Amino acid sequence: MNRDRNRERLQQESFDICIIGAGASGAGAALDAALRGYRVALVDRGDFAGETSSRSTKLIHGGVRYLEQAIKKLDLAQLKQVRHGLAERRTVIRNAPHLAHPLAILTPVFSWFEGMYMTIGLTLYGFISGKDNFPKSRWLTKAKALDRSPMLTRKMHSAVLYYDGQLNDARYALALTHSADEAGAAVVNHAAVTGFDKVEGRIKSALVQDQLTGETITVRATVFLNCTGPYADGIRLLANPRLDQRIRPSKGVHIVLPRETLQSDHAILIPKTSDGRVVFAIPFDNNVFVGTTDNDYQDLTHEPVLESSEVDYLLETVRPYLDKAPGRSDVQAGFGGIRPLIVSSRADTKTLLRDHEVEHDTESGLLSLLGGKWTTYRLMAQDAIDRIGEVLGKSVPGTTETHYLVGGENYRFDAWQTLQTQYGFSDDVCKHLVQTYGVRAGQVAQITQEQPALAEKLIDQLPFLKAEVVYQVREEMAVTLRDVLARRWRLELADWQLTAQVTPQVAGLMALELGWSDDYSQQQVQDYRQKLMAFTQEAGLLFEQSVTAPL
């Protein structure tokens, strides 16, 4: 992906569809539309998946809680949502197997009745999923459960094992965007829609401000599709101030603990919490993510961050399920996201469906893809582009169900051994490269042949190569420190202190590629470290060494 080239296309070309927002649904819609032969532009005010789509629980699922509510309330709408999610689960994994895979999940229970209840529910969950090659759920004795996850509480009666999917959400959205780019879409990050030009009330073009240069350009398209998730009302009201608000934002946060918290590749489902949600403790690389919460969130002008009270809540929630309870000193980082729930008369956000809707404002012509969740991004995108086909009067069937994403086709995990033989990298580096870039890991490795100094690790305790930063700038449109450290790598999610430590090195590598001056580079490092420190203070966390110590 080349940002300068694509930005020039935005100025010079006229498009069938301009998609605003490059999270999961927007990137998915761009790929879907481009594969159907439409001329597509995709812009985002920040980075690809810079908001909600990079801050999920990293699960691909139908929703155990939705199934329980569907049965208790005889709610066919929720049952349909579970079925759609489970059907899409296999597609998400098929199309990018380097970024998504099945995940074993244990649910500790504390009585025979509880075990029977969970076994019946999760057996039904598996039945609804059909024949998708996921292992079936089963009830385990206490001893067998402890064999799989030795840090579980000894007070449990037994545990129920089932399987869902896990994905690297930010890189999956990036793969969607990258695939859309290769299918012909003009994709540009850090490009904010600030207004619309209209003729007789209908949108004809969008004013897009480059967030790096401050320059505003005009993007012309026949149809504009709003895929900005929890920020959808902002674009809707920009297009037509007379519209009612449709989104009710809900904040969810996670804390990040060391992998030793579980000492297992199995996740934990906590089915009972004080606020009625389920909470997961999920292994992800060398960490464990614990979350999520669910609270109303109205201030969309500020990034949702982990707060001190939320740290306490999640630690308290996970404590009864572990033999050795983690404390505040174990929390390495955290992250918050905003769910784009569609407005309902029901007062509690926990009861709102995560279903989606394609809205067409006939006055301005704007289409908005509202609601939804990560797992069903492809269906959401398909519905939106189907609707746009009707508006354009030239409907074409979609093909995304069987379209491999960048890095996914012919992927085999054991290719890391070939990479090691050819380039001599350590085991951990080779495994990291194939699980991050798929079949394009060799392109990253090739950079080290041209510049041998880039074959070095960034720091010893991480499997990250310096060459990756160069690849991410050249091929993945990384233009800020956070683009690299929070999304192309997931280090910001894993460890705030370690992220601050490596920031100067990343800045130095990016400066050479992007032509940053010394002053600009130092300012970027300082600004990012201050952000990390603010996250730490908001969460009420203290480290032995300050996050900003390397300054």
Side-chain angles (χ1 to χ4, degrees), residues 354-369:
R354 297 289 298 278
D355 213 348
H356 69 273
E357 173 187 334
V358 181
E359 176 195 71
H360 185 198
D361 174 29
T362 55
E363 184 175 337
S364 69
L366 179 72
L367 283 95
S368 295
L369 180 52

Side-chain angles (χ1 to χ4, degrees), residues 246-549:
R246 295 295 314 282
I247 299 298
R248 182 171 177 183
S250 169
K251 177 187 175 185
V253 300
H254 296 76
I255 57 173
V256 181
L257 300 168
R259 191 175 182 86
E260 293 72 30
T261 305
L262 295 182
Q263 293 184 16
S264 172
D265 291 329
H266 290 51
I268 299 174
L269 166 65
I270 298 172
K272 293 181 180 180
T273 64
S274 59
D275 68 350
R277 285 190 59 80
V278 297
V279 164
F280 291 92
I282 298 178
F284 188 89
D285 290 337
N286 290 320
N287 306 100
V288 172
F289 294 163
V290 178
T292 179
T293 56
D294 190 341
N295 298 292
D296 276 318
Y297 192 76
Q298 299 302 321
D299 186 5
L300 295 181
T301 62
H302 290 87
E303 176 178 348
V305 297
L306 178 67
E307 299 175 24
S308 181
S309 60
E310 294 166 332
V311 173
D312 292 336
Y313 165 77
L314 290 172
L315 288 173
E316 187 64 32
T317 297
V318 77
R319 185 170 290 119
Y321 292 83
L322 297 176
D323 191 49
K324 181 181 178 182
R328 275 183 161 269
S329 61
D330 297 307
V331 179
Q332 300 174 163
F335 56 96
I338 308 175
R339 301 178 189 87
L341 304 178
I342 300 175
V343 164
S344 168
S345 58
R346 288 176 287 188
D348 189 349
T349 59
K350 292 182 288 295
T351 67
L352 298 186
L353 280 174
R354 297 289 298 278
D355 213 348
H356 69 273
E357 173 187 334
V358 181
E359 176 195 71
H360 185 198
D361 174 29
T362 55
E363 184 175 337
S364 69
L366 179 72
L367 283 95
S368 295
L369 180 52
L370 307 175
K373 64 178 183 177
W374 234 118
T375 305
T376 55
Y377 85 87
R378 195 194 65 82
L379 285 181
M380 296 164 59
Q382 180 175 278
D383 288 350
I385 303 305
D386 284 347
R387 185 68 178 275
I388 287 175
E390 296 172 5
V391 172
L392 294 174
K394 51 177 181 180
S395 296
V396 180
T399 60
T400 53
E401 186 172 7
T402 56
H403 185 82
Y404 285 104
L405 304 186
V406 162
E409 191 168 9
N410 300 318
Y411 169 76
R412 290 174 28 254
F413 173 64
D414 60 11
W416 73 266
Q417 296 170 330
T418 303
L419 205 64
Q420 185 181 52
T421 300
Q422 187 172 356
Y423 294 98
F425 303 140
S426 60
D427 289 8
D428 62 334
V429 167
C430 293
K431 292 175 182 178
H432 158 71
L433 289 176
V434 298
Q435 290 180 304
T436 303
Y437 307 96
V439 299
R440 300 202 177 184
Q443 294 183 17
V444 181
Q446 186 58 37
I447 294 174
T448 68
Q449 300 297 289
E450 303 160 5
Q451 298 173 266
L454 298 179
E456 298 174 359
K457 285 185 177 183
L458 203 64
I459 55 174
D460 287 341
Q461 61 262 53
L462 294 173
F464 302 159
L465 293 182
K466 293 179 179 179
E468 292 180 72
V469 178
V470 174
Y471 179 85
Q472 290 164 8
V473 171
R474 292 178 183 176
E475 303 294 337
E476 297 182 341
M477 213 177 287
V479 292
T480 74
L481 292 170
R482 209 173 184 199
D483 291 349
V484 170
L485 289 163
R487 288 173 288 274
R488 283 148 191 82
W489 288 331
R490 309 315 310 276
L491 190 56
E492 183 190 300
L493 271 65
D495 191 318
W496 286 331
Q497 185 166 321
L498 195 55
T499 302
Q501 181 181 334
V502 304
T503 296
Q505 295 179 67
V506 174
L509 293 164
M510 295 185 75
L512 291 174
E513 289 294 313
L514 295 169
W516 291 354
S517 68
D518 288 345
D519 287 346
Y520 183 84
S521 183
Q522 290 175 14
Q523 187 63 52
Q524 297 309 300
V525 171
Q526 184 175 339
D527 290 348
Y528 189 34
R529 283 180 164 174
Q530 287 177 348
K531 183 181 289 290
L532 294 170
M533 177 56 78
F535 291 161
T536 305
Q537 292 173 341
E538 191 71 33
L541 301 178
L542 295 174
F543 294 123
E544 293 180 7
Q545 180 181 6
S546 168
V547 166
T548 55

Side-chain angles (χ1 to χ4, degrees), residues 56-76:
S56 74
T57 307
K58 322 296 182 233
L59 288 179
I60 321 158
H61 61 110
V64 173
R65 180 170 60 92
Y66 296 136
L67 177 61
E68 184 178 33
Q69 291 182 8
I71 294 172
K72 286 182 176 179
K73 301 177 182 179
L74 300 178
D75 188 336
L76 293 179

